[in-house]
Amino acid sequence: MNPKEHGEVFVLDDGGEVDLDLGNYERYLNITLTRENNITTGKIYQHVIEKERRGDYLGHTVQVVPHITDAIQDWIERVARIPVDDTNEIPDVCIVELGGTIGDIESMPFVEGLVQLRRRAGRNNFLQIHVSYIPVIGGEQKTKPTQQAIKSVRSMGLIPDLIACRCEIPLSDSTIDKVARFCHVENSQVVGVRDMPSTYQVPMLLERQGLVDLLRDILRLDPAPPTPTNAAGTSLSLYQRGQQTWWRWKELSIGLERHFEPVNIVLVGKYTELHDSYLSVVKSLEHAAMRCHRKLELTWVDASHLEPPTPSSTPPPSSTLPNRSSSSASQRSCANSSATSSLSSQTITNHSRYHKAWHSVINAQGILIPGGFGVRGTEGMVAAARWAREHGKPYLGICLGMQIAVIEYARHCCGLGGATSAEFDAQAKDPVVVFMPEIDRRSMGATMRLGLRPTRWQDGSEWSRLRRLYGNDKPEIWERHRHRYEVNPEYIDRLQEAGMHFVGKDEKGERMEVVELKDHDWFVGVQFHPEYLSRVLQPSKPYLGFVAASAGVLGPVTRELETDAQGVNAFPAVNGSLVNGVGKLGLGEF
C-alpha cells in the first residue's frame, strides 16, 4: 500500500498487515490483536464465496442480505471471544469501529450487519457511540451537521446511545441541550471531546464527563472478579490492576505540562508529506520523550532534500530556449528572460531546500531514519547517517535505516566506495544489502518477512547500550518485522573487522538484526520495527535509548531500568515492555 495514500501499514504479531487504526488500539488499550481483528469487505466477500463453493448454501441464491450481513455478524462474534491480553480471559467488551461516512455505498452491508447485530446481541449488550463534528462559525457552535448525521443513521436503523461531539473548544450548555433535544437523547448522553494539549489527556476528559459510569450503566457491567495470583505471587483483581494503570496514566499525562525542556529530533524520511506514514514512529518518540521528562520537538526532513541539487536544476544556456522564427526579437528576448527567470527561481528553491534540510540535521540532537522502500532519497539518508557517525550525534536506524547505516559504513570505513543495496542497484559491484532468498520476487503483496520474531544477543555483546536497556539477563528479545532485504552475509566479517558490531542476530545466527558502534554514544540500527510494540506506559527500548541519548540522560534512564528489573515487578512483561501485561513505570526525576 502506498504510504502517501493509506498512511502507515501496521504489522501485528501474526504478521497481519493492517490499517494504522489497529496500532492506536493496541497502544491505548494495551492489547495484542491478530489479523482477524481487521475486518474488510474483501475478507467478507471471499469468506462467503468460499462457503458457496463448498456448497454450504445448498445452491441457494447468495445475497447481500442475509448472507453477507450474517457473515459480518458471525465474524464479529467469533473474534470478540478471542483473548487479547495476558489474563487469557474472554473479553467482556468488544469495540467495533464502523469507519467511513454514512451513505457511502462501500459501507452499506456493514451498516445493515450492525443493525442486525444489535437485535442479535440483545438488550444491554449493544451500545452505539456516534462521533460527530461541531464546527465553530463566527464564534458560535453549530449543531445542524450533527442533527442531520443522526437523522441519517437513524433512517438506516442505527440508534445512537451516546453522541461524542468533536470540537475545538468545550461544548456550551446550550449546545449540549440542543444536540440532546433534537437527537432524542438525554443531556448526559452527549459527550464533549474537545481539543486537548495532548491526545493522552483525552481519557481523563472523558472520565470527568462520566463516560465510565454511562458505559457501566448501559451495558450492566460489574467489577471484575479477582484473578489468580500473578507472577509475583500477589492476588490482584482486574479492577485493581486497571486502577493502578489509570493512576500511572494520569501522573504521566498530567506531567506533560511540566516537561518544558525540549529534545529536538530530526526524522529523515521518504514520505514526510503525510505524517501518518510514520504514525507509530512518532508515537514511539512521544512515549520515550515522556519517559525521559522531555518535550518532543520533531523536525521532518525529506531525504531527497539532503542530496546536492542536480545539474538539471541549473538554467540551460539561452541557445536551448525556444526560438520561433515568427516571433519578433523583443518577444524572443522576453521569452528567454522569462524562461531563465523561471529556471533560476527553481534553482534557488532547490538550493534553499538543500540548505534548510541540512540546517535541520546539523542542529538536531538526534537523527532518526525510519523504514521505507525504493531508491529515492537514499543518498540523502546515507549523508545524514555519515554526519551522525562522524559528529557523535545519536542515531537510530529502523529497517531501511539500519541498512543505510551499513551502506554508509561500508563506503567510508571499509573502502567499498560502490557499496549499496540490491534494491537500489541490481547490478551493484558491492551489494552489502541483498534480497532475502526465501522471499517471492514475483509477488509484492504479503510476501515480506512479517510478524513477531526472535533476536538473539551475541556472545560478548554485554557492552551494548541497547542490550542493557532490554536487560542483559535476557538472551533474546521478540520484535515485529516487515522487510524483504537483509545485510549481505558475505560482507559481515569485513564490516566487523572495521568496527561495526552486529550484536543481535536471528535464531539461526544468519540474519543481522541489530548493529551498533561501540565507540559512539548511541549509533544503533535495528532490522525490526520496535515502534509496533511501543506502549504509552512502557516505551520501546530502541526509541527510549535514542531519545535518552539525544537528551543527555541515557545513563540515568539505563540505571533506573536496571534497578526496576532487579526489584519485584508485579506484572509480567515481554521484552521488558508493555505487550500483553502492565509493566512497572519509574517516574523518578533525573
Side-chain angles (χ1 to χ4, degrees), residues 173-413:
D173 291 340
S174 60
T175 298
I176 294 175
D177 184 68
K178 187 180 293 184
V179 170
R181 184 186 317 117
F182 289 102
C183 297
H184 311 293
V185 296
E186 299 295 329
N187 285 30
S188 60
Q189 294 172 271
V190 179
V191 181
V193 190
R194 62 180 173 87
D195 289 352
M196 298 292 287
S198 167
T199 55
Y200 304 110
Q201 297 174 349
V202 173
M204 292 180 290
L205 173 67
L206 298 176
E207 184 203 32
R208 287 198 295 268
Q209 297 181 72
L211 180 62
V212 175
D213 293 333
L214 283 170
L215 296 178
R216 184 181 293 123
D217 179 62
I218 296 175
L219 296 177
R220 298 291 190 268
L221 297 176
D222 297 322
T227 58
T229 56
N230 56 20
T234 305
S235 179
L236 201 62
S237 72
L238 291 174
Y239 178 78
Q240 290 172 309
R241 291 179 61 172
Q243 291 289 31
Q244 291 189 11
T245 302
W246 183 234
W247 175 83
R248 294 190 180 99
W249 186 292
K250 289 193 292 185
E251 183 177 20
L252 188 63
S253 58
I254 291 175
L256 289 172
E257 300 172 0
R258 302 194 300 266
H259 298 167
F260 295 121
E261 188 173 346
V263 56
N264 182 265
I265 303 298
V266 62
L267 188 153
V268 180
K270 298 167 64 71
Y271 321 115
T272 54
E273 300 95 328
L274 181 63
H275 293 180
D276 274 359
S277 300
Y278 302 108
L279 183 63
S280 290
V281 172
V282 174
K283 295 302 180 183
S284 298
L285 290 171
E286 291 176 355
H287 302 164
M290 288 190 291
R291 177 64 178 76
C292 294
H293 298 266
R294 293 296 186 271
K295 178 182 178 182
L296 176 66
E297 292 184 354
L298 185 60
T299 304
W300 299 81
V301 169
D302 189 317
S304 60
H305 293 170
L306 294 173
E307 300 172 358
T310 59
S312 62
S313 65
T314 58
S318 58
S319 60
T320 64
L321 296 174
N323 182 13
R324 298 176 182 174
S325 58
S326 60
S327 304
S328 66
S330 61
Q331 288 175 325
R332 292 196 298 272
S333 176
C334 289
N336 292 346
S337 175
S338 175
T340 302
S341 174
S342 174
L343 289 168
S344 297
S345 176
Q346 182 62 42
T347 302
I348 292 173
T349 299
N350 291 339
H351 280 276
S352 175
R353 289 174 177 172
Y354 175 74
H355 291 292
K356 182 180 179 181
W358 272 108
H359 180 271
S360 298
V361 169
I362 292 171
N363 288 281
Q365 293 172 263
I367 299 173
L368 168 67
I369 298 183
F373 297 94
V375 67
R376 184 184 67 83
T378 52
E379 289 304 315
M381 293 179 176
V382 170
R386 183 180 184 183
W387 173 270
R389 180 180 59 81
E390 293 182 345
H391 292 82
K393 291 278 188 180
Y395 174 89
L396 178 61
I398 305 296
C399 195
L400 173 64
M402 169 185 158
Q403 298 168 8
I404 290 292
V406 171
I407 293 171
E408 188 281 322
Y409 203 84
R411 288 182 183 178
H412 304 111
C413 298

Side-chain angles (χ1 to χ4, degrees), residues 46 80 112 296 299 480 499 516 522 531 543:
Q46 183 181 29
E112 180 60 29
L296 176 66
T299 304
R480 295 176 181 176
E516 194 167 348
W522 183 273
E531 62 269 20
Y543 284 94

Side-chain angles (χ1 to χ4, degrees), residues 46-61:
Q46 183 181 29
H47 173 72
V48 171
I49 290 172
E50 289 174 351
K51 290 184 67 176
E52 190 275 335
R53 293 290 86 186
R54 290 196 306 264
D56 292 1
Y57 299 124
L58 302 177
H60 291 292
T61 302

Side-chain angles (χ1 to χ4, degrees), residues 407-587:
I407 293 171
E408 188 281 322
Y409 203 84
R411 288 182 183 178
H412 304 111
C413 298
C414 299
L416 301 174
T420 187
S421 169
E423 181 182 11
F424 312 150
D425 182 3
Q427 308 301 321
K429 180 181 178 181
D430 290 305
V432 295
V433 177
V434 294
F435 203 94
M436 289 186 290
E438 71 271 26
I439 302 300
D440 186 355
R441 292 174 178 266
R442 294 169 297 178
S443 178
M444 298 294 290
T447 58
M448 288 183 277
R449 184 170 178 253
L450 296 164
L452 194 69
R453 298 172 182 270
T455 294
R456 293 181 178 173
W457 299 111
Q458 300 303 293
D459 294 339
S461 65
E462 289 77 13
W463 61 267
S464 167
R465 297 166 181 82
L466 178 60
R467 181 175 180 178
R468 286 186 63 190
L469 292 174
Y470 278 106
N472 267 332
D473 59 326
K474 295 181 174 64
E476 67 179 22
I477 57 176
W478 290 78
E479 294 282 0
R480 295 176 181 176
H481 293 67
R482 184 177 186 258
H483 65 109
R484 57 169 60 95
Y485 290 87
E486 65 172 333
V487 178
N488 192 339
E490 297 179 3
Y491 290 85
I492 299 303
D493 290 341
R494 187 165 181 177
L495 288 164
Q496 291 190 137
E497 289 172 1
M500 176 165 272
H501 299 274
F502 294 93
V503 297
K505 299 181 181 180
D506 70 347
E507 65 273 21
K508 296 181 180 179
E510 301 173 349
R511 184 158 289 137
M512 304 304 110
E513 292 283 357
V514 182
V515 62
E516 194 167 348
L517 297 184
K518 194 172 185 177
D519 59 352
H520 197 288
D521 289 342
W522 183 273
F523 193 96
V524 173
V526 295
Q527 187 60 71
F528 46 80
H529 287 265
E531 62 269 20
Y532 293 146
L533 289 180
S534 185
R535 299 292 185 264
V536 179
L537 298 183
Q538 198 65 276
S540 160
K541 297 303 185 293
Y543 284 94
L544 177 59
F546 169 63
V547 172
S550 301
V553 296
L554 178 59
V557 167
T558 302
R559 288 192 294 272
E560 185 167 335
L561 287 178
E562 290 175 337
T563 300
D564 289 346
Q566 294 170 2
V568 176
N569 189 345
F571 307 107
V574 177
N575 289 352
S577 63
L578 210 61
V579 180
N580 289 328
V582 180
K584 184 178 180 183
L585 176 69
L587 291 170

